[in-house]
Short mmCIF file of all heavy atoms in Angstrom, two decimals:
data_model
loop_
_atom_site.label_atom_id
_atom_site.label_comp_id
_atom_site.label_asym_id
_atom_site.label_seq_id
_atom_site.Cartn_x
_atom_site.Cartn_y
_atom_site.Cartn_z
N MET F 1 77.19 146.93 115.34
CA MET F 1 77.08 146.04 116.46
C MET F 1 77.58 144.64 116.01
O MET F 1 77.42 144.28 114.87
CB MET F 1 75.60 145.88 116.89
CG MET F 1 74.93 147.23 117.19
SD MET F 1 75.72 148.19 118.50
CE MET F 1 75.43 147.23 119.96
N VAL F 2 78.18 143.93 116.96
CA VAL F 2 78.65 142.56 116.63
C VAL F 2 77.85 141.53 117.44
O VAL F 2 77.75 141.65 118.66
CB VAL F 2 80.16 142.43 116.98
CG1 VAL F 2 80.64 141.02 116.71
CG2 VAL F 2 80.93 143.45 116.21
N ASP F 3 77.28 140.59 116.73
CA ASP F 3 76.53 139.50 117.37
C ASP F 3 77.50 138.36 117.64
O ASP F 3 77.84 137.59 116.72
CB ASP F 3 75.37 139.09 116.48
CG ASP F 3 74.49 137.97 117.12
OD1 ASP F 3 74.78 137.57 118.22
OD2 ASP F 3 73.48 137.61 116.46
N THR F 4 77.98 138.22 118.83
CA THR F 4 78.94 137.17 119.17
C THR F 4 78.38 135.77 119.19
O THR F 4 79.11 134.77 119.09
CB THR F 4 79.62 137.45 120.51
OG1 THR F 4 78.62 137.49 121.55
CG2 THR F 4 80.39 138.79 120.47
N ALA F 5 77.05 135.65 119.21
CA ALA F 5 76.44 134.33 119.21
C ALA F 5 76.25 133.76 117.79
O ALA F 5 75.98 132.59 117.66
CB ALA F 5 75.06 134.37 119.87
N HIS F 6 76.47 134.61 116.79
CA HIS F 6 76.34 134.19 115.40
C HIS F 6 77.62 134.51 114.63
O HIS F 6 77.63 135.27 113.68
CB HIS F 6 75.14 134.89 114.72
CG HIS F 6 73.82 134.44 115.25
ND1 HIS F 6 73.09 135.11 116.20
CD2 HIS F 6 73.06 133.35 114.95
CE1 HIS F 6 72.03 134.47 116.43
NE2 HIS F 6 71.95 133.38 115.70
N ALA F 7 78.69 133.86 114.99
CA ALA F 7 79.97 133.94 114.29
C ALA F 7 80.45 135.33 114.09
O ALA F 7 81.01 135.69 113.08
CB ALA F 7 79.88 133.21 112.92
N ASN F 8 80.25 136.18 115.12
CA ASN F 8 80.71 137.58 115.09
C ASN F 8 80.22 138.35 113.92
O ASN F 8 80.95 139.13 113.33
CB ASN F 8 82.26 137.61 115.19
CG ASN F 8 82.73 137.21 116.56
OD1 ASN F 8 82.12 137.48 117.59
ND2 ASN F 8 83.90 136.55 116.60
N ARG F 9 78.94 138.11 113.52
CA ARG F 9 78.35 138.87 112.42
C ARG F 9 78.18 140.32 112.81
O ARG F 9 77.77 140.65 113.94
CB ARG F 9 76.98 138.29 112.08
CG ARG F 9 77.08 136.94 111.43
CD ARG F 9 75.72 136.34 111.20
NE ARG F 9 74.91 137.14 110.27
CZ ARG F 9 73.68 136.89 109.99
NH1 ARG F 9 73.04 135.88 110.56
NH2 ARG F 9 73.03 137.62 109.13
N ILE F 10 78.51 141.19 111.90
CA ILE F 10 78.38 142.61 112.13
C ILE F 10 77.08 143.08 111.49
O ILE F 10 76.82 142.82 110.34
CB ILE F 10 79.61 143.37 111.55
CG1 ILE F 10 80.83 143.00 112.33
CG2 ILE F 10 79.37 144.90 111.66
CD1 ILE F 10 82.08 143.61 111.83
N GLY F 11 76.33 143.85 112.25
CA GLY F 11 75.06 144.37 111.73
C GLY F 11 74.72 145.71 112.30
O GLY F 11 75.26 146.18 113.31
N GLU F 12 73.81 146.38 111.61
CA GLU F 12 73.28 147.69 112.05
C GLU F 12 72.09 147.44 112.93
O GLU F 12 71.24 146.60 112.62
CB GLU F 12 72.89 148.56 110.88
CG GLU F 12 74.00 148.90 109.94
CD GLU F 12 73.51 149.56 108.68
OE1 GLU F 12 72.38 149.26 108.23
OE2 GLU F 12 74.28 150.36 108.12
N PHE F 13 71.98 148.14 114.03
CA PHE F 13 70.82 148.03 114.89
C PHE F 13 69.59 148.58 114.20
O PHE F 13 69.63 149.70 113.68
CB PHE F 13 71.05 148.79 116.22
CG PHE F 13 69.88 148.75 117.15
CD1 PHE F 13 69.65 147.62 117.93
CD2 PHE F 13 69.05 149.84 117.26
CE1 PHE F 13 68.58 147.57 118.79
CE2 PHE F 13 67.92 149.76 118.13
CZ PHE F 13 67.73 148.67 118.88
N ARG F 14 68.51 147.83 114.14
CA ARG F 14 67.30 148.29 113.43
C ARG F 14 66.14 148.52 114.35
O ARG F 14 65.18 149.15 113.96
CB ARG F 14 66.92 147.22 112.35
CG ARG F 14 68.02 146.94 111.38
CD ARG F 14 68.43 148.09 110.59
NE ARG F 14 67.35 148.46 109.67
CZ ARG F 14 67.37 149.47 108.87
NH1 ARG F 14 68.38 150.30 108.87
NH2 ARG F 14 66.41 149.71 108.03
N GLY F 15 66.17 147.96 115.55
CA GLY F 15 65.05 148.15 116.46
C GLY F 15 64.89 146.96 117.41
O GLY F 15 65.70 146.05 117.41
N LEU F 16 63.84 147.01 118.18
CA LEU F 16 63.55 145.96 119.10
C LEU F 16 62.51 145.02 118.58
O LEU F 16 61.55 145.46 117.88
CB LEU F 16 63.07 146.53 120.42
CG LEU F 16 64.06 147.43 121.17
CD1 LEU F 16 63.36 148.09 122.35
CD2 LEU F 16 65.24 146.65 121.62
N ALA F 17 62.66 143.78 118.86
CA ALA F 17 61.63 142.73 118.48
C ALA F 17 61.37 141.92 119.71
O ALA F 17 62.01 140.86 119.98
CB ALA F 17 62.16 141.88 117.34
N GLY F 18 60.53 142.42 120.58
CA GLY F 18 60.29 141.80 121.87
C GLY F 18 61.55 141.95 122.71
O GLY F 18 62.09 143.07 122.85
N PRO F 19 62.11 140.83 123.30
CA PRO F 19 63.26 140.92 124.10
C PRO F 19 64.58 140.94 123.27
O PRO F 19 65.66 140.99 123.84
CB PRO F 19 63.19 139.69 124.99
CG PRO F 19 62.51 138.71 124.13
CD PRO F 19 61.49 139.49 123.33
N TYR F 20 64.46 140.88 121.95
CA TYR F 20 65.62 140.72 121.08
C TYR F 20 65.91 142.04 120.35
O TYR F 20 65.03 142.86 120.15
CB TYR F 20 65.40 139.65 120.04
CG TYR F 20 65.13 138.30 120.65
CD1 TYR F 20 63.87 137.76 120.73
CD2 TYR F 20 66.17 137.54 121.24
CE1 TYR F 20 63.61 136.56 121.32
CE2 TYR F 20 65.91 136.34 121.82
CZ TYR F 20 64.66 135.85 121.85
OH TYR F 20 64.38 134.64 122.45
N TRP F 21 67.12 142.18 119.88
CA TRP F 21 67.51 143.29 119.03
C TRP F 21 67.48 142.81 117.60
O TRP F 21 67.92 141.73 117.30
CB TRP F 21 68.90 143.77 119.35
CG TRP F 21 69.00 144.50 120.67
CD1 TRP F 21 68.03 144.65 121.58
CD2 TRP F 21 70.18 145.13 121.14
NE1 TRP F 21 68.55 145.37 122.63
CE2 TRP F 21 69.83 145.67 122.42
CE3 TRP F 21 71.47 145.27 120.69
CZ2 TRP F 21 70.78 146.37 123.18
CZ3 TRP F 21 72.34 145.94 121.47
CH2 TRP F 21 72.02 146.51 122.68
N SER F 22 66.95 143.63 116.74
CA SER F 22 66.92 143.33 115.31
C SER F 22 68.14 143.98 114.63
O SER F 22 68.36 145.17 114.75
CB SER F 22 65.64 143.87 114.69
OG SER F 22 65.53 143.52 113.31
N LEU F 23 68.97 143.14 114.00
CA LEU F 23 70.19 143.59 113.31
C LEU F 23 70.09 143.30 111.83
O LEU F 23 69.46 142.35 111.43
CB LEU F 23 71.39 142.94 113.91
CG LEU F 23 71.63 143.11 115.39
CD1 LEU F 23 72.82 142.29 115.83
CD2 LEU F 23 71.87 144.55 115.74
N ARG F 24 70.69 144.14 111.03
CA ARG F 24 70.70 143.93 109.59
C ARG F 24 72.16 144.03 109.12
O ARG F 24 72.91 144.92 109.55
CB ARG F 24 69.87 145.05 108.87
CG ARG F 24 69.85 144.85 107.37
CD ARG F 24 69.01 145.94 106.72
NE ARG F 24 69.66 147.26 106.77
CZ ARG F 24 70.55 147.66 105.87
NH1 ARG F 24 70.88 146.88 104.87
NH2 ARG F 24 71.11 148.79 105.96
N PRO F 25 72.57 143.13 108.22
CA PRO F 25 73.97 143.15 107.76
C PRO F 25 74.31 144.49 107.12
O PRO F 25 73.43 145.14 106.52
CB PRO F 25 74.01 142.06 106.64
CG PRO F 25 72.83 141.15 106.97
CD PRO F 25 71.79 142.03 107.58
N MET F 26 75.55 144.92 107.29
CA MET F 26 76.01 146.17 106.73
C MET F 26 75.82 146.28 105.20
O MET F 26 75.55 147.36 104.68
CB MET F 26 77.45 146.44 107.05
CG MET F 26 77.78 146.58 108.52
SD MET F 26 77.19 148.16 109.17
CE MET F 26 78.26 149.29 108.33
N CYS F 27 75.93 145.18 104.52
CA CYS F 27 75.78 145.16 103.11
C CYS F 27 74.39 144.88 102.63
O CYS F 27 74.14 144.53 101.47
CB CYS F 27 76.76 144.14 102.46
SG CYS F 27 78.48 144.58 102.67
N GLY F 28 73.43 144.99 103.52
CA GLY F 28 72.07 144.70 103.21
C GLY F 28 71.76 143.19 103.34
O GLY F 28 72.74 142.41 103.54
N GLY F 29 70.57 142.84 103.31
CA GLY F 29 70.23 141.42 103.43
C GLY F 29 69.20 141.22 104.47
O GLY F 29 68.59 142.14 105.01
N GLN F 30 69.05 139.96 104.82
CA GLN F 30 68.06 139.48 105.79
C GLN F 30 68.42 139.96 107.22
O GLN F 30 69.53 139.68 107.66
CB GLN F 30 67.92 138.02 105.74
CG GLN F 30 66.83 137.43 106.61
CD GLN F 30 65.44 137.74 106.03
OE1 GLN F 30 65.24 137.80 104.84
NE2 GLN F 30 64.50 137.84 106.94
N GLU F 31 67.46 140.54 107.86
CA GLU F 31 67.69 140.92 109.27
C GLU F 31 67.64 139.67 110.11
O GLU F 31 67.07 138.64 109.73
CB GLU F 31 66.54 141.87 109.77
CG GLU F 31 66.64 143.22 109.19
CD GLU F 31 65.63 144.20 109.71
OE1 GLU F 31 64.85 143.79 110.61
OE2 GLU F 31 65.57 145.36 109.27
N TRP F 32 68.25 139.75 111.30
CA TRP F 32 68.19 138.65 112.24
C TRP F 32 68.05 139.23 113.63
O TRP F 32 68.24 140.40 113.85
CB TRP F 32 69.44 137.76 112.13
CG TRP F 32 70.72 138.28 112.79
CD1 TRP F 32 71.16 138.03 114.04
CD2 TRP F 32 71.67 139.13 112.18
NE1 TRP F 32 72.33 138.66 114.26
CE2 TRP F 32 72.67 139.31 113.14
CE3 TRP F 32 71.80 139.73 110.90
CZ2 TRP F 32 73.79 140.14 112.90
CZ3 TRP F 32 72.90 140.57 110.69
CH2 TRP F 32 73.92 140.72 111.64
N GLU F 33 67.57 138.40 114.51
CA GLU F 33 67.35 138.80 115.89
C GLU F 33 68.51 138.28 116.76
O GLU F 33 69.00 137.18 116.59
CB GLU F 33 66.03 138.26 116.41
CG GLU F 33 64.86 138.93 115.71
CD GLU F 33 63.49 138.38 116.16
OE1 GLU F 33 63.47 137.38 116.96
OE2 GLU F 33 62.49 138.93 115.75
N ALA F 34 68.93 139.13 117.69
CA ALA F 34 70.01 138.73 118.58
C ALA F 34 69.65 139.07 120.01
O ALA F 34 68.96 140.01 120.33
CB ALA F 34 71.29 139.54 118.20
N GLU F 35 70.12 138.21 120.91
CA GLU F 35 69.94 138.48 122.33
C GLU F 35 70.88 139.61 122.70
O GLU F 35 72.09 139.56 122.42
CB GLU F 35 70.21 137.21 123.11
CG GLU F 35 69.25 136.08 122.80
CD GLU F 35 69.57 134.85 123.57
OE1 GLU F 35 70.40 134.90 124.55
OE2 GLU F 35 69.00 133.82 123.23
N PRO F 36 70.37 140.64 123.41
CA PRO F 36 71.21 141.79 123.77
C PRO F 36 72.50 141.43 124.54
O PRO F 36 73.52 142.09 124.34
CB PRO F 36 70.27 142.65 124.60
CG PRO F 36 68.93 142.28 124.20
CD PRO F 36 69.00 140.83 123.82
N GLU F 37 72.44 140.34 125.36
CA GLU F 37 73.66 140.01 126.11
C GLU F 37 74.75 139.42 125.21
O GLU F 37 75.89 139.28 125.66
CB GLU F 37 73.33 139.04 127.26
CG GLU F 37 72.71 137.78 126.86
CD GLU F 37 71.19 137.75 126.85
OE1 GLU F 37 70.63 138.87 126.90
OE2 GLU F 37 70.63 136.70 126.69
N HIS F 38 74.41 139.11 123.97
CA HIS F 38 75.42 138.56 123.02
C HIS F 38 75.83 139.61 121.96
O HIS F 38 76.47 139.24 120.93
CB HIS F 38 74.85 137.29 122.32
CG HIS F 38 74.63 136.14 123.22
ND1 HIS F 38 75.64 135.48 123.85
CD2 HIS F 38 73.49 135.61 123.67
CE1 HIS F 38 75.15 134.53 124.62
NE2 HIS F 38 73.87 134.58 124.53
N VAL F 39 75.48 140.82 122.18
CA VAL F 39 75.78 141.92 121.19
C VAL F 39 76.71 142.92 121.89
O VAL F 39 76.55 143.23 123.07
CB VAL F 39 74.50 142.58 120.72
CG1 VAL F 39 74.84 143.75 119.83
CG2 VAL F 39 73.59 141.59 120.04
N ARG F 40 77.71 143.33 121.13
CA ARG F 40 78.64 144.34 121.61
C ARG F 40 78.90 145.35 120.50
O ARG F 40 78.71 145.03 119.31
CB ARG F 40 79.94 143.71 122.07
CG ARG F 40 80.74 143.06 120.96
CD ARG F 40 82.08 142.55 121.40
NE ARG F 40 82.78 141.84 120.40
CZ ARG F 40 83.37 142.33 119.35
NH1 ARG F 40 83.41 143.62 119.13
NH2 ARG F 40 83.96 141.54 118.49
N PRO F 41 79.37 146.54 120.82
CA PRO F 41 79.70 147.53 119.78
C PRO F 41 80.88 146.98 119.00
O PRO F 41 81.80 146.35 119.54
CB PRO F 41 80.11 148.78 120.54
CG PRO F 41 79.49 148.60 121.94
CD PRO F 41 79.45 147.13 122.19
N ALA F 42 80.88 147.23 117.69
CA ALA F 42 81.98 146.87 116.81
C ALA F 42 83.18 147.79 117.07
O ALA F 42 82.97 149.02 117.28
CB ALA F 42 81.55 146.90 115.38
N ASP F 43 84.37 147.21 117.09
CA ASP F 43 85.51 148.08 117.24
C ASP F 43 85.89 148.70 115.89
O ASP F 43 85.24 148.44 114.90
CB ASP F 43 86.72 147.32 117.85
CG ASP F 43 87.20 146.17 117.00
OD1 ASP F 43 87.07 146.17 115.78
OD2 ASP F 43 87.76 145.21 117.59
N ALA F 44 86.85 149.55 115.93
CA ALA F 44 87.15 150.37 114.73
C ALA F 44 87.53 149.48 113.48
O ALA F 44 87.04 149.76 112.39
CB ALA F 44 88.29 151.32 114.98
N ILE F 45 88.33 148.42 113.65
CA ILE F 45 88.71 147.60 112.53
C ILE F 45 87.49 146.82 112.00
O ILE F 45 87.40 146.63 110.77
CB ILE F 45 89.90 146.70 112.86
CG1 ILE F 45 90.49 146.06 111.59
CG2 ILE F 45 89.50 145.65 113.83
CD1 ILE F 45 91.21 147.01 110.72
N GLU F 46 86.61 146.40 112.86
CA GLU F 46 85.45 145.69 112.43
C GLU F 46 84.49 146.58 111.60
O GLU F 46 83.93 146.20 110.63
CB GLU F 46 84.70 145.08 113.62
CG GLU F 46 85.43 143.95 114.27
CD GLU F 46 84.86 143.55 115.62
OE1 GLU F 46 84.35 144.45 116.37
OE2 GLU F 46 84.85 142.39 115.94
N ARG F 47 84.34 147.82 112.04
CA ARG F 47 83.52 148.78 111.33
C ARG F 47 84.12 149.06 109.97
O ARG F 47 83.46 149.11 108.96
CB ARG F 47 83.38 150.06 112.12
CG ARG F 47 82.42 149.93 113.31
CD ARG F 47 82.04 151.26 113.90
NE ARG F 47 83.21 152.05 114.27
CZ ARG F 47 83.80 152.03 115.47
NH1 ARG F 47 83.37 151.22 116.42
NH2 ARG F 47 84.87 152.79 115.74
N LEU F 48 85.44 149.19 109.93
CA LEU F 48 86.15 149.50 108.68
C LEU F 48 86.01 148.35 107.70
O LEU F 48 85.69 148.57 106.50
CB LEU F 48 87.63 149.76 108.91
CG LEU F 48 88.47 150.09 107.70
CD1 LEU F 48 87.96 151.39 107.05
CD2 LEU F 48 89.93 150.26 108.10
N ARG F 49 86.11 147.12 108.14
CA ARG F 49 85.95 145.95 107.29
C ARG F 49 84.52 145.89 106.74
O ARG F 49 84.31 145.60 105.54
CB ARG F 49 86.25 144.67 108.04
CG ARG F 49 87.71 144.46 108.24
CD ARG F 49 87.96 143.18 108.99
NE ARG F 49 89.41 143.01 109.23
CZ ARG F 49 89.93 142.49 110.32
NH1 ARG F 49 89.14 142.00 111.29
NH2 ARG F 49 91.23 142.37 110.50
N ALA F 50 83.55 146.17 107.61
CA ALA F 50 82.12 146.11 107.15
C ALA F 50 81.85 147.20 106.13
O ALA F 50 81.16 146.98 105.15
CB ALA F 50 81.23 146.21 108.36
N GLN F 51 82.38 148.40 106.37
CA GLN F 51 82.18 149.50 105.41
C GLN F 51 82.85 149.21 104.11
O GLN F 51 82.34 149.49 103.02
CB GLN F 51 82.72 150.78 106.03
CG GLN F 51 81.85 151.29 107.18
CD GLN F 51 82.54 152.43 107.96
OE1 GLN F 51 83.71 152.70 107.77
NE2 GLN F 51 81.82 153.04 108.84
N ASN F 52 84.05 148.62 104.18
CA ASN F 52 84.75 148.26 102.93
C ASN F 52 84.00 147.22 102.16
O ASN F 52 83.83 147.30 100.90
CB ASN F 52 86.17 147.76 103.26
CG ASN F 52 86.99 147.58 102.03
OD1 ASN F 52 87.03 148.46 101.19
ND2 ASN F 52 87.69 146.45 101.96
N ALA F 53 83.45 146.22 102.84
CA ALA F 53 82.63 145.19 102.14
C ALA F 53 81.41 145.82 101.48
O ALA F 53 80.99 145.46 100.40
CB ALA F 53 82.19 144.12 103.16
N ARG F 54 80.81 146.80 102.21
CA ARG F 54 79.66 147.47 101.61
C ARG F 54 79.99 148.23 100.37
O ARG F 54 79.29 148.18 99.34
CB ARG F 54 79.05 148.41 102.66
CG ARG F 54 77.79 149.07 102.21
CD ARG F 54 77.22 149.93 103.31
NE ARG F 54 75.88 150.40 102.92
CZ ARG F 54 75.04 150.93 103.73
NH1 ARG F 54 75.29 151.07 104.97
NH2 ARG F 54 73.85 151.33 103.26
N CYS F 55 81.13 148.97 100.37
CA CYS F 55 81.58 149.73 99.21
C CYS F 55 81.90 148.75 98.04
O CYS F 55 81.58 149.07 96.92
CB CYS F 55 82.81 150.56 99.57
SG CYS F 55 82.43 151.96 100.64
N ASN F 56 82.51 147.67 98.34
CA ASN F 56 82.83 146.68 97.28
C ASN F 56 81.58 146.15 96.68
O ASN F 56 81.49 145.97 95.45
CB ASN F 56 83.74 145.54 97.88
CG ASN F 56 85.14 145.99 98.11
OD1 ASN F 56 85.56 147.00 97.57
ND2 ASN F 56 85.83 145.26 98.95
N ALA F 57 80.60 145.82 97.48
CA ALA F 57 79.32 145.30 96.98
C ALA F 57 78.62 146.32 96.08
O ALA F 57 78.14 145.99 95.02
CB ALA F 57 78.43 144.89 98.13
N ARG F 58 78.69 147.57 96.49
CA ARG F 58 78.05 148.63 95.67
C ARG F 58 78.78 148.81 94.33
O ARG F 58 78.15 148.99 93.30
CB ARG F 58 78.07 149.93 96.42
CG ARG F 58 77.11 149.96 97.59
CD ARG F 58 77.21 151.19 98.44
NE ARG F 58 76.61 152.31 97.73
CZ ARG F 58 76.66 153.59 98.13
NH1 ARG F 58 77.31 153.85 99.24
NH2 ARG F 58 76.08 154.50 97.43
N SER F 59 80.12 148.67 94.35
CA SER F 59 80.90 148.83 93.10
C SER F 59 80.63 147.69 92.17
O SER F 59 80.74 147.83 90.91
CB SER F 59 82.38 148.97 93.42
OG SER F 59 82.93 147.71 93.82
N ARG F 60 80.23 146.54 92.69
CA ARG F 60 79.87 145.36 91.84
C ARG F 60 78.40 145.46 91.36
O ARG F 60 78.01 144.60 90.62
CB ARG F 60 80.10 144.09 92.60
CG ARG F 60 81.55 143.74 92.92
CD ARG F 60 81.72 142.36 93.46
NE ARG F 60 81.02 142.18 94.71
CZ ARG F 60 81.52 142.33 95.93
NH1 ARG F 60 82.80 142.66 96.05
NH2 ARG F 60 80.82 142.08 97.00
N GLY F 61 77.69 146.45 91.81
CA GLY F 61 76.32 146.62 91.40
C GLY F 61 75.30 145.75 92.17
O GLY F 61 74.20 145.57 91.75
N GLU F 62 75.79 145.19 93.32
CA GLU F 62 74.84 144.41 94.11
C GLU F 62 73.85 145.29 94.85
O GLU F 62 74.13 146.42 95.20
CB GLU F 62 75.67 143.57 95.13
CG GLU F 62 76.61 142.60 94.48
CD GLU F 62 77.50 141.86 95.43
OE1 GLU F 62 77.33 141.99 96.71
OE2 GLU F 62 78.38 141.16 94.98
N VAL F 63 72.66 144.74 94.97
CA VAL F 63 71.63 145.49 95.60
C VAL F 63 71.87 145.58 97.08
O VAL F 63 72.22 144.51 97.72
CB VAL F 63 70.21 144.81 95.34
CG1 VAL F 63 69.13 145.57 96.09
CG2 VAL F 63 69.95 144.79 93.88
N LEU F 64 71.74 146.74 97.69
CA LEU F 64 72.01 146.89 99.13
C LEU F 64 70.71 147.20 99.86
O LEU F 64 69.88 147.83 99.44
CB LEU F 64 73.01 147.98 99.36
CG LEU F 64 74.36 147.78 98.71
CD1 LEU F 64 75.24 148.98 98.99
CD2 LEU F 64 75.00 146.55 99.27
#
């Protein structure tokens, strides 16, 4: 999912938090809440970039 209200951050949907959606970065990290009207599905290139960043982080031994 892409949160367009927060610099097009890409995150995985984690659940609902009241009227907001809870998203978590693809490479792990702090979850954030997004308004559903500012969230859209990530397109293919955005998903590929996020997956590549995740793989790179894992290869560097970063905690995910």
Side-chain angles (χ1 to χ4, degrees):
M1 305 303 291
V2 178
D3 183 358
T4 59
H6 289 98
N8 290 326
R9 288 176 64 186
I10 296 178
E12 300 172 327
F13 179 78
R14 304 300 287 176
L16 298 173
Y20 302 103
W21 288 5
S22 182
L23 302 175
R24 184 179 69 85
M26 294 288 293
C27 293
Q30 184 72 31
E31 291 184 1
W32 76 95
E33 294 178 351
E35 296 178 11
E37 60 268 13
H38 295 291
V39 176
R40 65 173 173 78
D43 62 28
I45 193 69
E46 290 168 325
R47 287 191 306 270
L48 181 61
R49 285 181 183 144
Q51 290 168 349
N52 190 45
R54 184 178 189 165
C55 289
N56 287 340
R58 290 174 75 187
S59 72
R60 291 188 300 265
E62 296 175 9
V63 178
L64 301 178

